[in-house]
Amino acid sequence: MTEHRPRIYGSDHDDPDPYTTHPGHEYVELHGGPLDGQLLDVTGLTAEERTTGALLITNHGAHGPGGRADYEPSAGGDPGRWNWIGDVP
């Protein structure tokens, strides 16, 4: 049995290993919505940006290709988790 490793958001579809995290990088896990279970690299985000969340491009949301999924930090205070709020065009 193989270990489950979450996909990294933004990895290319032809990436030979879209599941590898990089040392020195910080990631949050996305919960709910079309990107559920993926990891988002937040290394380059400022502290303020990390509190506001992100609109992430997805082809699998309610608005089809090019739509965005809105993820925000967990209200429970878990810094390693962002929850899906909804989809936007």
Side-chain angles (χ1 to χ4, degrees), residues 21-47:
T21 56
H22 300 285
H25 286 235
E26 294 181 58
Y27 298 88
V28 295
E29 186 172 355
L30 303 174
H31 285 266
L35 304 173
D36 185 50
Q38 292 189 33
L39 296 179
L40 176 66
D41 186 343
V42 294
T43 306
L45 299 181
T46 66

Side-chain angles (χ1 to χ4, degrees), residues 7-69:
R7 183 177 184 85
I8 308 301
Y9 172 79
S11 56
D12 291 330
H13 70 279
D14 60 352
D15 189 325
D17 189 6
Y19 307 96
T20 300
T21 56
H22 300 285
H25 286 235
E26 294 181 58
Y27 298 88
V28 295
E29 186 172 355
L30 303 174
H31 285 266
L35 304 173
D36 185 50
Q38 292 189 33
L39 296 179
L40 176 66
D41 186 343
V42 294
T43 306
L45 299 181
T46 66
E48 181 180 349
E49 290 170 328
R50 290 183 192 199
T51 65
T52 59
L55 293 172
L56 304 173
I57 296 172
T58 179
N59 292 333
H60 305 290
H63 300 283
R68 309 269 192 294

